[in-house]
Amino acid sequence: MTTIDGIISDRGSKYAVSGAPCASEDEAKALIKDLCRTKKFAKATHNTWGLLTPEAPVKNDDGESGAGMVILRMLEREGLENHLIVVTRWYGGKHLGGDRFRHVQEAVRIYIEALAG
């Protein structure tokens, strides 16, 4: 799993993005479990993710309502199938409102650019 840490900071909240080739929801869950073996990621407020498989899109908001769909839409736009993207947020104490979706989009964009790199 590739992780890009410390990419966005806003009102105390901090973001990272991770990803890896992935073929199924079960594999995605195993990859996320592996990511959370790192204490820092295990203690994150949200590890939201999305995955496009040929069968169906799969997502998990992990309490960050709507964030998984943002990730899926970006994967669809890029045509990036069989690749898991996880956006991690450590809550900083202040609500971000709609800005949180902009940050999720930016995190995914940073990851996709690094992938194309």
Side-chain angles (χ1 to χ4, degrees):
M1 178 109 63
T2 301
T3 298
I4 307 168
D5 200 0
I7 53 171
I8 300 165
S9 183
D10 182 5
R11 290 168 265 180
S13 285
K14 299 198 181 324
Y15 287 81
V17 64
S18 307
C22 178
S24 69
E25 182 174 0
D26 287 341
E27 189 180 347
K29 289 177 179 174
L31 285 164
I32 291 160
K33 188 175 181 182
D34 201 41
L35 177 70
C36 289
R37 283 197 176 101
T38 304
K39 192 174 185 179
K40 178 178 180 175
F41 286 88
K43 290 185 169 233
T45 314
H46 309 287
N47 283 299
T48 60
W49 58 271
L51 168 68
L52 285 181
T53 67
E55 296 78 44
V58 188
K59 66 176 175 64
N60 187 315
D61 292 335
D62 192 28
E64 186 83 289
S65 186
M69 186 53 75
V70 171
I71 297 168
L72 281 180
R73 276 199 304 266
M74 292 190 71
L75 287 168
E76 287 169 350
R77 259 187 237 128
E78 293 295 322
L80 188 57
E81 281 191 359
N82 294 324
H83 203 97
L84 171 70
I85 296 184
V86 182
V87 176
T88 302
R89 177 182 176 197
W90 292 269
Y91 181 64
K94 291 202 165 81
H95 290 286
L96 302 180
D99 288 342
R100 63 196 170 96
F101 297 114
R102 206 174 70 247
H103 296 326
V104 169
Q105 280 182 318
E106 179 67 7
V108 174
R109 188 190 61 71
I110 288 168
Y111 181 83
I112 289 171
E113 280 182 4
L115 191 63

